[in-house]
Amino acid sequence: MSTSTAAAVAAASSPAQPTGAHLGHTSLNIDSLRDLARKELVNVLDSDHGVEKIYHLQPGPLETDCKNLIYICRPQVNYMKYIAEHIHTHTKDSRAGSYTYSLFFVPRRTALCEKVLEDEGVFGEITKGEYHLDLIPLEDDVLSLEWDSTFKELYLEQDTTSIYYAAKALMRLQGIYGLFPRILGKGDYSKALCDMMLRMRREMAVDDLDASQTMQLSQNIDSLIIIDRSVDMVTPLCTQLTYEGLIDEIFHIKNSFVEVDASLASAASAPPGGGSGSGTQSSATAPTGKKKKVPLNGGDKLFDELRDLNFAVVGGLLNKVAKRINADYEERHNAKTVPQIRQFIVKMGGLAAEHQSLRLHTALAEEIMNYTMTDDFNRILEVQQNVVAGIATNKEPEYIEEMINKQAPLVQVLRLLCLYSLVNSGLKPKQFEFFKREILETYGFEHIQTLENLRRLGMLTKQTTTKNTYGLVRRSLSLIVDEVNEHAPNDISYVYSGYAPLSVRLVQCVVQRGKDSKQPGGPGGKGSGIAGGNGWKGFEDVLRMLPGRTFDETQRVDDGQPRPSKRMNGQPRVSLVFFLGGCTFTEISATRFLASQEGGQRDFVICTTQILNGNTLVDSLVQKVPDLHASA
Amino acid sequence: MSPPTADWIQLHDRFYRKQEIYTMLWKQVDLSKYMLAAAPFGGPLALVRDDRKVLLLQKQQPIKPSIYLYTSSGKLMETIQWEKGHIVGMGWTETEQLLCVLEDGTVRMYNILGEYTQFSLGKDAKDNRVIDVQFWGTGLVALTGSFQLIAITNFDEPRPLFLADPGINEPPHSWTVIPPKFTLSRHVEVLIAHNSTILVVDATEARDERLQQGPFSKMSISPDGKYLALFTADGKLWVVSTDFQKNLSEFATRSQVPPQQLVWCGTDSVVLYWDKIVLMVGPYGDWIKYTYDDAIFLIPEIDGVRVISMDKCEFLQKVPDATENIFKIGSTAPAAMLYDALDHFEKKSPKADENIRSIRLELADAVEACIEAAGHEISHQYQRSLLKAASFGKSFLDIHNADSFVEMCKVLRVLNAVRYYEIGIPMTYTQICEYLKMRTDRILIHWACSKIKKSNDDEDTICRMVVEKLANKPGLSYSEIAMTAHKAGQSKLATMLLDYEPRAGDQVPLLMSMQEDELALVKAIESGDTDLVYHVILHLKRKLQLGEFFRIINNKPLACNLLESYCKQQDPELLKDFYYQDDRTVDRANLTLMESFRQKDSTERINTIKGALRIYQEDKEHTFEVKAIEDSIKLLQTQVQLEKDYSQPFSGLSISSTVYKLITINQSNRATKVRGDFKMPDKRFWWIKLRALVEIRDWDGVATLAKSKKSPIGYEPFVEECVKAMQFREAAKYILKCDAHLRAGLFLKIEAYQEAGEQAFLQKDLDTLREIRDKCPNAVIQGQIDGYITQLASSR
C-alpha cells in the first residue's frame, strides 16, 4: 500500500558512496563501517522502498504531494527553523490536509534543537529519531565526520561539540577494530579529545560491561595520531598543488562531489565507478541547469591514479593514458576470428568507462591549466612561497596591498595576509593598522568583526616579539625543500612544490625514524613500530615551540601489559591520523605518500572532522551582512 | 514416570502436546466474569471484573473494582485500586507495562509495581468515546464511537495519529491490527470486517478487499504476521495470507456461533475456543478437541498457546522436531538410538554398544540433538535423562566441544528457576533464547529501586544494603537508583547514592531535579557532552533570575561559549545582557554594529552605529575602531547625499566601491572629493580610477590619468588593465613608460613582436628573444629576431 513519503535531507552525505569494494589503499576493511551506516539508514527510512521524493532541506515553504515527511539533518538550529517554517505553512494552508513529520537527527537528537522546536511551537508535531552516522568513509583510507563548520565552531566560538562527536566516533571505531594501543598527539584540543576517549572507555563499563571487558587491543591499528589544526594554520592557507587539491581550490569538492559546468561534465555523462543511486540523485537536483555534480572518488581508476600527484605531471600522464586507450581501441583491427571479436567486445565495456573518465579529467585539467596560467595565480603563488620560505622582501606586502587596491576577492587577500602574519609572528604595528584600514575601506566596515575573528584566532595579529618561532620550526623540521622532483618525489613537500605541510611532518616524526633522528624528512627515513617506539622522542624542542600540549598515551587491556603489536600474517600496521579541525586534500596526499615510503610496512587511515581548504577556512570567518539592495 | 509421548496427539503428520505446568494458586476465579490480558513470553496476567457481565455481589468483594496482577501460576503480585471510569481494553507492551484504555480516551500505563503514567488519545476520542481497542507490543489502535481509528505507535512519546476514515457507520463484525514490522509500508494496518468484506486501513487510505465470504465474526493474525485466520458467518475457519493473495485452508466447524477466542498456535495451527470447548485445527483440516469444566483463556505465544483455566495453567504446542525425533515411537533417528543406548547401558544390556556402533558416524549430531531436546522439556526428569544421554554419547567421541552442553545446562537452570511456581513465568526454550544475554546490571538496578520503594528501613541502612549488594559490580550506574530515592522523597539517600555514580553525565538529570543547579552544570561540563551542558543552561535560564543565571555561568568558559553561540542564533537580546554584565566591550560593540547592517532606514542605522561607537569609546584602547566607525558614519551620510544627488543606490558600498561607482557614472570630480574626505591613499585611488575608467571604456580618461602626474602605481597596471580589456592599441601607449626590463614581455602580451624583439635585444635578454621567436607568426620578424639572437650570442 502506498503511503507517499518524502524525505528532506540536509548535510548528511550518503554513506553509500559509489566506490568500488576494497580499493587496497589500506589493509583496514572499511566496509564493515560502511555497512553499518547503510543498514541504519534503511531502518531510518523504515524500509528500502517507500520514499518517493527527496528534497534538499532549505529555507522557504516545502511544496509536496507527499503526506509523510521524513527529515534527515544535522542537529543545527537553522535546520530546525526551516522545518518549523514548513510546518507553519502547512498548518496555515487549510487545503493541505494533515501531514505527518518525522525528524531524524544525524548523529543524535539534542536538547538544543528540541528547545528550538519547542520555541517555534512545532515540537509536538514531529516524531523524532536518530541516525547514528558519524564517520563517513569518503574513501577506504579517508573517514570524515563532514561537520563543515568545525573549524569556526572549535577555534573561534570554542564550542567543543565536535570533540565530543569525534570521541564518540573514535570509540565506535575502537569497538569495531579494537583498542588503539597508543594515542599520540599535539595541541590542546587534541589532548582534550584523547582525554575524552580515555574517559569514555572508563565509562563504557557502565553502558556495556561485557563489551568493555572483551575489548581487545587492535590487531592492525597500532596507533592513533591526533593533530590539532591550531598547531598548523599555515598549511591550509597555502595553495594546494596536487591534482585533487587544485580541483578543490578552483571548483570546491563537497562531500566528494564537485560541481562543474555541465559542458565539462557532459564529457562524462555516466559517471564512472558505477555511480548509481546517490550519484545520479544529486545531479538531478542540481540547482541550475548549467552546473552538474560529478563524483570524485577512488572508484574512478584514472582519478585514483592522478589525485595525489603534483599537477605539473598530470598533463603528461593524461597524455600517456590517452595513447594507451587509443592503442587498445586499435586492437579491434587485430580481432579477426569470432572469439577474438567477442573478447574485444568484452574488453570494450571497460574501455568505454575509462574513456569517459579520461574525457572528464582532460577537461578538468584543461580548466585548471587555464587558471594556473594566469598572472594573478602565479604572482600569488610566488608571494606565498616566498612567505613560507621566509624570504623577506617588500614585494610580498606590496603585492597584498595591490590585491586590495584591485579589489581582489577578500578571501584571497586575507588568505595571503594571514599567511604572512602567521609566518612572521604578526605584522609590524604600522603595517597592521594600514592593512586593517585598507580592508575596512575597500571591503566594508562590517569586517571589523572579520578582523576581530582573525585576531582572536591568532591568524592576523600585531607583532609583539621579534622572535621568529616559525622560522625555527621551519628549519628544525625542514619544511622547505628546494629540490623537488614532481615526477618522482622523495618527500611530502612535493604536494606544495617545495613546502612540506607541518601537520604531516609531525606525523612523520612519530612513524619514521631516519638514520638521523632529527631529520624526519628526506629520503631513506625508514619506519619502526609505533607501539613500542619512541613516540615524540627527539623532537621535544621543536614541539615545545608549537602551540598546545604534546602527549603520548598507552592504552592497556585489563590483563596488564601492553601487548607488543603482533602483526597478523605480514599485514601492514595501520596508523590512524586524526586531523581535528579539518584537513586539506594535500595533507591526505602527503599522508598517503608517507605510506608509500614505508614499503608496505605501514598504512595510514586518515580521519578528520571535515575537509577544508584556505578558501573555506577563511570564508567561514568572514562576517556576512544581508544585502539590503538585493531587490535593487 | 509416564512416557514422554503420553500427552502427544497426532494432527496429520505432526504431533502436538498439551502439558500442565502449574496448578493455579488462586482460588475460585471464574474467568468468564473477568476481562483478562496476558503479557507474552509467560508474562503476568491482568484481570479486572468485566462490568458488562453480571456478577453476584459477594460479601467480601469491594464495590469498587480492582485490577489484579497475577503470575501464570496464579500468584497475586499486585492489586491496583481502580477509581477511574470504564475500561474498554487492556494489553501489555513489550516492556511489560500494562495498558488500560478508558472509554474517555485516557490511556494508563502501569508497571509491574502498579505505578502509572497516563496520556490521552485526544479530543476526538474523548468526545466520541472509545468503543474498542487492539494492541501490539509497541502500539495500539483505538476505535471510536464515530468509527474512526486512532493509533499510538510509540509509547515513549505517545502521539495520537488518525488513520484514514474506514467509512463505516456500524461497529465492525470484528477487527485486528497488523503491527508495523510486518507490513509492506512499515506503518500499522488495520483489518476491519465490514459487511461481507474486509477493509484494510492505514494512515492514508481505506481499501476494500472485495471479499464475498463474510461477514467475519472473528479474526487473528499469525505471530509472524504472514497469515490471517478468519471465522465466517457459516462457521468456516478460513486462513489466507495477509495480502489476501493466497488461500491457505478452509475448515468447516459446523458451528453457527462464533468462537469466543480465535488464536494461533505457533504459525501452523489455529485454536478456537467456545464455551468450555477447545478446537485445534491444523493446516490440512485435521483437528483435535479438548473439553474443560470451566471457562478458560487462551494466550498465544510465538511457539504455542498458554491455556489458563480456573485450576491450572497448561501449554499447548507442536512437539519440537528434536523432541519428536527422539521420543516418537519407533524412531530410528541417531538421537533416538543414543537415548535408547543410555537406557540399555543403565540396564547393563550389551545392546547399548550395538546402538552406539550403529550411529557411530552421526554420533556428534545425536549428542547435539539430545542437548536441544533437553531444552524443550518441562519435566526435570526428562531434561536430566536427555542431558545424560548427550553426556553418554559424548564419551564415545574423540573430540567434542562441550560448549553447547554447558550452555544448555545454564539455560535450563534459568528456565527452571523462572518456571518455579513461586515465580510463575512459564517460558520455553524458544522464547528465552534471545533474552539470555541480558546484562545483570539492569536486574540489580531494578532490585535496588524496588528495595528503596518498599523498604521501611532508615536511609543509612538502605544505602549500605544497596551499596553492599552492588559493590562487586564496578561501573554500575547509580543515578537511576538515586533518582528513585529522590522521587520517594529520600533526598539524603539520593545524595549518598549519587556519589557512587561513575558517569558525570548521568548525575546531571538528578542533580537538576534536586535543585543542585551549579553542581549539575559542573558535571555536565565534565562529561564533555555539549548538549548536556545546553540542557542544563536552558533549564537554568528558564528557572533563574537573569543575574543569578549569569553568576552561575560566568566562571565556566564552556558554558559561556555555548550560551554565546546559542544566543547568536536564537536570542540576541540575551546576548547583549550577557556581554554587558561580563564587560565584553568589543563583543558588545560589534554586536550592535552588526545589528545596524540589518536596518534599512539610514537614520535608524546611523543611530545604531552611534550606539556601537559609544561602547567603543568607553575604552581607550580602541582608537582604531573608533576612527573606523566614525568613518563608517561619515560614509553613510555621504552615501545618503549621493543617493539624493544621483538617484542611484550607494549605501552598503565600501569607500573604495563608492569612489569606483562615482567614476563609472562619470562623476570624477565627486569621486575625487569623496577620496579627499576619507584621505584615501594615492595608490588605491589610482588603481580604482584606472579600473573604473577601463570598465566604462573611457580611454581618453585613462590617458589623462596617466599624464596627470607621475603614477604612484607605475604604468604596468595601465598596460595590464588594457590588455585584460583586449585593447592592445591602448595598452601599447603605456609600455614605454614601464621599467625597461618589463617592456619586452608586455609587448609580447599585445602581440607586438617586432617591438618586443627590439626591447629584448636592448636588454640583452636571450631567453625572451627565443620565446618571442617561437610565438611570432611573421617570418620577416622572425628573421629579424634571429638576427638579434646571433648578434647577442656572438657577443658573449
Side-chain angles (χ1 to χ4, degrees):
Chain A
M1 174 171 291
S2 85
T3 33
S4 58
T5 301
V9 187
S13 15
S14 162
Q17 294 290 354
T19 46
H22 189 52
L23 295 174
H25 269 308
T26 71
S27 51
L28 205 62
N29 192 355
I30 296 297
D31 282 350
S32 48
L33 192 67
R34 198 170 279 162
D35 282 351
L36 216 65
R38 209 173 293 166
K39 251 183 236 153
E40 214 191 317
L41 180 62
V42 170
N43 286 343
V44 163
L45 294 176
D46 273 333
S47 58
D48 42 354
H49 53 266
V51 173
E52 290 184 354
K53 283 178 190 158
I54 296 179
Y55 299 89
H56 281 265
L57 180 55
Q58 47 201 11
L62 175 72
E63 279 173 26
T64 172
D65 312 329
C66 300
K67 295 292 180 196
N68 291 318
L69 301 181
I70 299 171
Y71 291 94
I72 301 174
C73 69
R74 295 282 190 205
Q76 284 175 13
V77 171
N78 54 338
Y79 293 137
M80 298 307 110
K81 292 185 170 171
Y82 301 161
I83 295 169
E85 191 184 353
H86 291 173
I87 298 179
H88 287 317
T89 38
H90 289 162
T91 327
K92 261 181 240 151
D93 185 2
S94 50
R95 290 172 297 128
S98 71
Y99 288 81
T100 63
Y101 304 94
S102 306
L103 168 54
F104 288 89
F105 293 102
V106 186
R108 61 161 186 170
R109 57 198 283 181
T110 63
L112 181 64
C113 285
E114 290 183 352
K115 167 78 165 52
V116 176
L117 291 176
E118 244 177 81
D119 288 350
E120 301 282 340
V122 294
F123 185 82
E125 305 280 324
I126 305 170
T127 310
K128 286 149 293 274
E130 294 179 341
Y131 175 29
H132 305 100
L133 176 68
D134 42 35
L135 280 171
I136 300 164
L138 296 181
E139 292 295 340
D140 276 3
D141 61 345
V142 183
L143 310 175
S144 170
L145 290 173
E146 295 293 84
W147 275 94
D148 295 338
S149 53
T150 303
F151 182 82
K152 182 185 183 190
E153 210 176 271
L154 202 52
Y155 299 102
L156 184 64
E157 294 165 358
Q158 300 186 3
D159 169 348
T160 53
T161 305
S162 53
I163 297 183
Y164 180 76
Y165 285 131
K168 281 265 175 201
L170 286 169
M171 291 310 288
R172 207 152 80 115
L173 278 191
Q174 292 196 107
I176 300 172
Y177 300 108
L179 285 175
F180 311 144
R182 203 155 170 190
I183 307 176
L184 305 102
K186 174 71 190 165
D188 286 343
Y189 279 145
S190 296
K191 178 80 172 106
L193 173 56
C194 174
D195 288 347
M196 204 178 287
M197 280 174 68
L198 296 178
R199 218 203 46 243
M200 279 178 178
R201 189 182 161 209
R202 283 195 300 275
E203 292 185 348
M204 206 169 68
V206 186
D207 285 332
D208 197 339
L209 195 64
D210 297 336
S212 72
Q213 277 170 348
T214 55
M215 202 182 231
Q216 297 286 318
L217 286 179
S218 175
Q219 291 293 332
N220 24 22
I221 300 176
D222 72 348
S223 56
L224 164 68
I225 304 166
I226 310 173
I227 303 288
D228 188 333
R229 189 75 273 170
S230 67
V231 174
D232 176 17
M233 301 272 217
V234 168
T235 299
L237 295 177
C238 296
T239 308
Q240 313 178 68
L241 294 177
T242 56
Y243 180 53
E244 190 170 18
L246 270 169
I247 296 179
D248 186 42
E249 293 280 343
I250 300 169
F251 304 103
H252 183 34
I253 301 175
K254 203 166 181 322
N255 309 129
S256 73
F257 278 84
V258 68
E259 212 173 326
V260 293
D261 248 32
S263 58
L264 257 180
S266 66
S269 48
S276 61
S278 58
T280 40
Q281 178 57 46
S282 328
S283 48
T285 52
T288 62
K290 295 207 172 147
K291 292 277 181 184
K292 207 177 161 192
K293 271 190 178 176
V294 184
L296 283 180
N297 58 52
D300 175 349
K301 288 229 174 56
L302 179 57
F303 179 65
D304 203 37
E305 227 174 294
L306 299 175
R307 64 195 315 176
D308 299 322
L309 301 178
N310 187 296
F311 185 66
V313 307
V314 165
L317 227 138
L318 283 171
N319 201 355
K320 236 190 264 169
V321 174
K323 277 187 187 146
R324 183 180 52 76
I325 292 183
N326 201 28
D328 283 352
Y329 269 121
E330 290 308 309
E331 258 176 43
R332 71 182 186 276
H333 299 300
N334 303 336
K336 299 277 189 285
T337 65
V338 174
Q340 278 170 351
I341 292 173
R342 197 177 53 208
Q343 211 177 352
F344 177 79
I345 301 282
V346 170
K347 196 175 161 190
M348 218 172 66
L351 276 179
E354 242 182 306
H355 200 176
Q356 288 274 9
S357 154
L358 178 66
R359 276 207 298 250
L360 170 72
H361 293 293
T362 316
L364 275 174
E366 235 171 74
E367 276 301 293
I368 296 171
M369 191 82 88
N370 287 340
Y371 180 75
T372 56
M373 295 286 276
T374 59
D375 284 346
D376 288 342
F377 177 83
N378 284 299
R379 288 181 69 182
I380 290 176
L381 195 63
E382 191 191 332
V383 169
Q384 193 179 289
Q385 292 195 327
N386 287 347
V387 169
V388 287
I391 301 168
T393 64
N394 285 335
K395 264 174 62 188
E396 289 76 33
E398 265 170 26
Y399 184 67
I400 300 173
E401 184 191 342
E402 186 182 319
M403 283 172 76
I404 299 173
N405 289 342
K406 283 199 270 190
Q407 292 181 283
L410 178 61
V411 168
Q412 249 177 41
V413 171
L414 290 176
R415 206 172 150 172
L416 216 47
L417 193 59
C418 290
L419 188 69
Y420 186 75
S421 168
L422 281 168
V423 169
N424 296 305
S425 343
L427 305 179
K428 295 193 185 72
K430 256 187 146 170
Q431 216 175 21
F432 184 59
E433 299 275 300
F434 171 76
F435 274 115
K436 282 205 309 189
R437 185 174 160 213
E438 289 286 297
I439 286 168
L440 294 186
E441 296 190 358
T442 304
Y443 298 98
F445 289 99
E446 68 268 29
H447 297 299
I448 287 184
Q449 181 71 64
T450 309
L451 294 172
E452 172 64 14
N453 291 349
L454 293 170
R455 189 194 62 77
R456 279 192 189 174
L457 284 165
M459 293 172 72
L460 186 57
T461 53
K462 185 153 63 174
Q463 224 172 51
T464 50
T465 163
T466 48
K467 208 175 115 193
N468 187 346
T469 325
Y470 187 79
L472 291 171
V473 173
R474 176 171 53 217
R475 225 162 313 133
S476 337
L477 291 176
S478 24
L479 297 185
I480 297 299
V481 179
D482 289 331
E483 305 274 306
V484 180
N485 182 349
E486 276 113 352
H487 292 267
N490 55 12
D491 180 64
I492 55 167
S493 57
Y494 85 92
V495 297
Y496 288 105
S497 296
Y499 163 73
L502 168 59
S503 52
V504 184
R505 252 316 180 241
L506 290 176
V507 174
Q508 208 174 356
C509 287
V510 181
V511 297
Q512 289 186 349
R513 297 237 140 233
K515 286 165 196 105
D516 176 7
S517 68
K518 295 275 178 205
Q519 292 284 327
K526 267 288 155 274
S528 75
I530 288 190
N534 293 323
W536 297 110
K537 201 151 176 276
F539 299 96
E540 292 89 346
D541 291 343
V542 61
L543 285 163
R544 218 168 290 130
M545 287 186 267
L546 293 167
R549 293 165 68 181
T550 310
F551 60 92
D552 181 350
E553 299 277 352
T554 307
Q555 290 204 91
R556 289 155 211 269
V557 286
D558 285 342
D559 55 9
Q561 294 306 305
R563 257 168 252 171
S565 92
K566 255 186 287 166
R567 271 192 292 153
M568 300 260 295
N569 43 47
Q571 272 195 0
R573 284 165 296 202
V574 177
S575 283
L576 221 54
V577 180
F578 197 106
F579 291 101
L580 182 61
C583 75
T584 59
F585 283 109
T586 31
E587 286 169 305
I588 294 173
S589 296
T591 313
R592 281 183 186 144
F593 179 79
L594 284 188
S596 75
Q597 275 193 319
E598 296 276 331
Q601 300 295 302
R602 176 172 299 285
D603 279 341
F604 290 93
V605 170
I606 297 139
C607 301
T608 183
T609 44
Q610 87 273 39
I611 304 231
L612 48 69
N613 64 36
N615 295 338
T616 52
L617 187 157
V618 172
D619 189 60
S620 72
L621 305 171
V622 169
Q623 176 67 38
K624 315 280 189 301
V625 291
D627 183 5
L628 296 178
H629 292 291
S631 52
Chain B
M1 193 158 101
S2 62
T5 50
D7 51 7
W8 288 19
I9 295 183
Q10 192 163 6
L11 192 67
H12 192 65
D13 59 348
R14 60 197 77 186
F15 291 93
Y16 280 79
R17 66 180 176 191
K18 187 169 65 114
Q19 293 169 288
E20 179 176 333
I21 311 173
Y22 301 119
T23 306
M24 296 310 267
L25 294 167
W26 63 30
K27 296 272 171 337
Q28 295 301 317
V29 175
D30 181 359
L31 292 174
S32 67
K33 303 286 189 262
Y34 287 92
M35 179 190 288
L36 203 147
F41 300 104
L45 317 170
L47 277 73
V48 67
R49 210 192 81 199
D50 192 335
D51 47 17
R52 284 171 300 198
K53 289 177 187 159
V54 185
L55 188 72
L56 278 177
L57 196 59
Q58 287 166 355
K59 260 188 198 142
Q60 62 271 47
Q61 271 179 328
I63 300 185
K64 281 213 170 151
S66 299
I67 301 174
Y68 302 99
L69 299 183
Y70 285 102
T71 66
S72 280
S73 56
K75 183 183 171 191
L76 184 65
M77 295 194 293
E78 197 73 44
T79 307
I80 301 166
Q81 293 303 323
W82 187 253
E83 74 287 357
K84 293 276 282 186
H86 172 59
I87 297 175
V88 177
M90 289 197 301
W92 291 84
T93 70
E94 61 182 22
T95 54
E96 252 174 43
Q97 306 231 55
L98 176 67
L99 294 160
C100 298
V101 178
L102 273 66
E103 208 176 22
D104 67 356
T106 307
V107 181
R108 275 205 178 177
M109 217 166 27
Y110 286 93
N111 69 14
I112 210 82
L113 299 171
E115 298 159 334
Y116 71 88
T117 51
Q118 73 175 38
F119 60 89
S120 161
L121 293 172
K123 187 172 176 303
D124 209 71
K126 190 172 181 187
D127 294 348
N128 296 304
R129 320 307 279 171
V130 175
I131 58 170
D132 200 4
V133 60
Q134 297 277 355
F135 303 90
W136 73 96
T138 55
L140 63 83
V141 174
L143 178 68
T144 68
S146 54
F147 309 114
Q148 296 299 312
L149 297 162
I150 301 172
I152 298 285
T153 52
N154 176 357
F155 291 124
D156 298 327
E157 277 182 49
R159 228 159 43 81
L161 170 77
F162 270 93
L163 301 186
D165 183 358
I168 54 174
N169 43 25
E170 55 180 7
H173 304 294
S174 65
W175 66 297
T176 191
V177 295
I178 310 179
K181 64 178 172 185
F182 296 132
T183 67
L184 205 60
S185 65
R186 302 282 151 155
H187 293 280
V188 62
E189 288 178 13
V190 178
L191 306 181
I192 289 180
H194 178 65
N195 295 337
S196 67
T197 184
I198 284 180
L199 307 172
V200 182
V201 185
D202 70 6
T204 51
E205 60 172 344
R207 189 184 57 219
D208 188 345
E209 284 298 336
R210 300 179 192 286
L211 305 177
Q212 312 292 330
Q213 294 88 327
F216 305 104
S217 47
K218 277 281 168 193
M219 55 170 91
S220 172
I221 299 280
S222 65
D224 59 1
K226 284 191 183 137
Y227 311 113
L228 173 67
L230 296 158
F231 194 82
T232 67
D234 51 358
K236 261 192 211 146
L237 173 70
W238 183 35
V239 178
V240 283
S241 59
T242 39
D243 57 5
F244 299 94
Q245 298 302 310
K246 247 193 270 161
N247 212 336
L248 285 136
S249 71
E250 250 177 78
F251 176 81
T253 65
R254 270 165 284 169
S255 160
Q256 297 301 314
V257 185
Q260 288 168 23
Q261 269 191 289
L262 170 66
V263 300
W264 283 81
C265 175
T267 50
D268 49 13
S269 60
V270 177
V271 183
L272 300 91
Y273 168 63
W274 288 268
D275 194 21
K276 292 162 196 161
I277 295 173
V278 170
L279 182 70
M280 175 153 86
V281 180
Y284 303 102
D286 310 72
W287 52 272
I288 307 168
K289 192 164 120 186
Y290 300 99
T291 52
Y292 286 84
D293 298 335
D294 304 291
I296 60 151
F297 188 74
L298 302 174
I299 305 161
E301 297 278 7
I302 53 168
D303 56 345
V305 173
R306 228 181 323 154
V307 185
I308 304 285
S309 57
M310 191 190 283
D311 49 3
K312 56 193 172 193
C313 168
E314 297 164 303
F315 192 65
L316 172 62
Q317 69 174 150
K318 175 177 175 297
V319 176
D321 292 342
T323 314
E324 185 181 324
N325 274 338
I326 293 172
F327 294 127
K328 193 165 85 180
I329 293 159
S331 171
T332 53
M337 299 300 279
L338 175 59
Y339 188 77
D340 194 37
L342 174 68
D343 194 38
H344 287 296
F345 178 74
E346 281 171 344
K347 289 181 194 148
K348 301 201 164 46
S349 150
K351 257 205 110 197
D353 183 50
E354 202 178 298
N355 270 10
I356 295 286
R357 274 172 204 281
S358 73
I359 55 166
R360 192 87 224 192
L361 292 173
E362 302 117 316
L363 190 55
D365 294 338
V367 169
E368 292 302 325
C370 283
I371 294 172
E372 198 197 327
H376 291 299
E377 282 308 312
I378 289 173
S379 133
H380 294 200
Q381 282 106 319
Y382 283 116
Q383 288 173 1
R384 208 171 292 133
S385 62
L386 283 163
L387 286 175
K388 224 182 209 172
S391 168
F392 178 65
K394 219 161 51 132
S395 57
F396 291 93
L397 290 167
D398 296 334
I399 352 161
H400 182 76
N401 185 342
D403 282 357
S404 59
F405 185 84
V406 175
E407 193 60 30
M408 183 56 80
C409 291
K410 286 186 191 162
V411 172
L412 281 174
R413 272 196 64 160
V414 174
L415 281 174
N416 291 339
V418 297
R419 282 175 193 156
Y420 183 61
Y421 78 100
E422 284 271 3
I423 307 293
I425 304 174
M427 271 197 152
T428 65
Y429 177 61
T430 319
Q431 291 167 12
I432 201 175
C433 265
E434 54 187 302
Y435 290 97
L436 273 175
K437 298 250 156 58
M438 209 167 119
R439 294 185 61 201
T440 49
D441 280 26
R442 289 297 323 148
I443 299 159
L444 288 171
I445 290 171
H446 205 165
W447 168 82
C449 292
S450 330
K451 191 88 208 163
I452 289 166
K453 277 184 230 165
K454 302 247 157 155
S455 177
N456 296 322
D457 293 324
D458 66 282
E459 293 179 301
D460 287 315
T461 318
I462 302 176
C463 182
R464 208 169 46 244
M465 260 162 50
V466 169
V467 173
E468 265 166 25
K469 181 100 177 175
L470 309 188
N472 56 351
K473 278 274 166 191
L476 184 133
S477 176
Y478 279 82
S479 60
E480 197 178 328
I481 308 170
M483 185 63 116
T484 310
H486 174 66
K487 277 188 183 156
Q490 295 169 296
S491 326
K492 196 175 138 213
L493 178 59
T495 321
M496 284 191 283
L497 287 170
L498 199 58
D499 277 344
Y500 291 92
E501 170 60 53
R503 288 200 298 186
D506 274 13
Q507 300 185 10
V508 173
L510 181 55
L511 287 170
M512 277 164 67
S513 54
M514 288 167 71
Q515 317 290 329
E516 295 278 356
D517 299 331
E518 184 150 9
L519 195 55
L521 186 57
V522 169
K523 291 289 176 187
I525 292 170
E526 216 171 90
S527 78
D529 181 349
T530 47
D531 191 54
L532 196 60
V533 180
Y534 268 127
H535 185 62
V536 182
I537 293 179
L538 294 172
H539 167 79
L540 296 182
K541 170 72 187 45
R542 267 190 291 254
K543 185 182 143 185
L544 301 175
Q545 295 283 322
L546 207 55
E548 180 64 9
F549 173 65
F550 287 143
R551 191 191 61 74
I552 292 183
I553 302 269
N554 272 341
N555 57 351
K556 300 175 185 66
L558 182 62
C560 289
N561 298 336
L562 293 179
L563 178 70
E564 223 183 312
S565 57
Y566 166 75
C567 288
K568 275 183 189 155
Q569 302 179 76
Q570 274 297 85
D571 198 343
E573 285 309 310
L574 179 62
L575 190 57
K576 270 190 204 165
D577 291 338
F578 175 67
Y579 285 155
Y580 183 76
Q581 58 89 38
D582 201 26
D583 279 341
R584 289 168 60 170
T585 317
V586 175
D587 289 317
R588 194 154 59 96
N590 284 352
L591 183 66
T592 313
L593 185 64
M594 291 313 133
E595 203 182 296
S596 76
F597 285 95
R598 282 187 294 274
Q599 291 166 326
K600 283 209 166 186
D601 179 70
S602 33
T603 331
E604 215 177 287
R605 201 168 158 184
I606 287 171
N607 282 335
T608 311
I609 301 178
K610 279 182 178 159
L613 180 64
R614 276 193 295 278
I615 302 172
Y616 265 126
Q617 279 165 339
E618 286 170 15
D619 237 320
K620 287 215 170 54
E621 3 165 341
H622 302 303
T623 44
F624 176 84
E625 283 81 6
V626 166
K627 173 78 179 40
I629 292 179
E630 279 167 358
D631 277 352
S632 80
I633 296 173
K634 196 159 89 183
L635 175 66
L636 258 178
Q637 287 162 340
T638 309
Q639 286 170 337
V640 170
Q641 192 55 46
L642 292 174
E643 286 181 355
K644 262 189 215 147
D645 294 350
Y646 306 117
S647 346
Q648 295 236 22
F650 274 93
S651 70
L653 297 180
S654 68
I655 297 178
S656 295
S657 303
T658 307
V659 172
Y660 187 94
K661 180 160 181 173
L662 281 170
I663 297 170
T664 57
I665 59 169
N666 291 312
Q667 299 298 336
S668 270
N669 291 340
R670 193 66 180 263
T672 311
K673 181 168 181 307
V674 172
R675 178 246 163 149
D677 289 347
F678 291 95
K679 303 199 180 58
M680 185 184 284
D682 247 8
K683 277 191 188 174
R684 173 141 48 98
F685 180 65
W686 273 65
W687 265 107
I688 291 171
K689 189 153 184 184
L690 170 63
R691 286 175 49 247
L693 290 171
V694 170
E695 191 190 307
I696 56 171
R697 300 286 188 266
D698 182 356
W699 308 117
D700 292 339
V702 173
T704 319
L705 177 68
K707 275 180 224 139
S708 63
K709 67 172 196 180
K710 187 179 179 311
S711 162
I713 55 172
Y715 292 90
E716 210 188 322
F718 283 77
V719 182
E720 297 208 324
E721 291 303 315
C722 291
V723 170
K724 267 188 207 155
M726 303 304 282
Q727 300 296 320
F728 291 174
R729 278 235 310 269
E730 292 298 326
K733 290 181 188 166
Y734 310 103
I735 294 180
L736 289 175
K737 290 184 172 222
C738 297
D739 279 357
H741 70 279
L742 295 171
R743 290 176 195 162
L746 294 171
F747 275 123
L748 186 58
K749 267 190 190 161
I750 60 167
E751 293 160 11
Y753 300 101
Q754 189 161 5
E755 289 85 344
E758 283 163 13
Q759 290 297 329
F761 179 65
L762 282 177
Q763 291 292 312
K764 303 201 170 73
D765 186 348
L766 256 176
D767 289 343
T768 311
L769 274 174
R770 291 203 183 96
E771 193 190 339
I772 299 165
R773 196 205 170 281
D774 288 348
K775 287 189 178 160
C776 176
N778 182 321
V780 182
I781 302 175
Q782 261 182 4
Q784 204 176 341
I785 292 168
D786 280 336
Y788 290 143
I789 294 177
T790 358
Q791 223 175 317
L792 277 184
S794 64
S795 70
R796 283 254 161 117

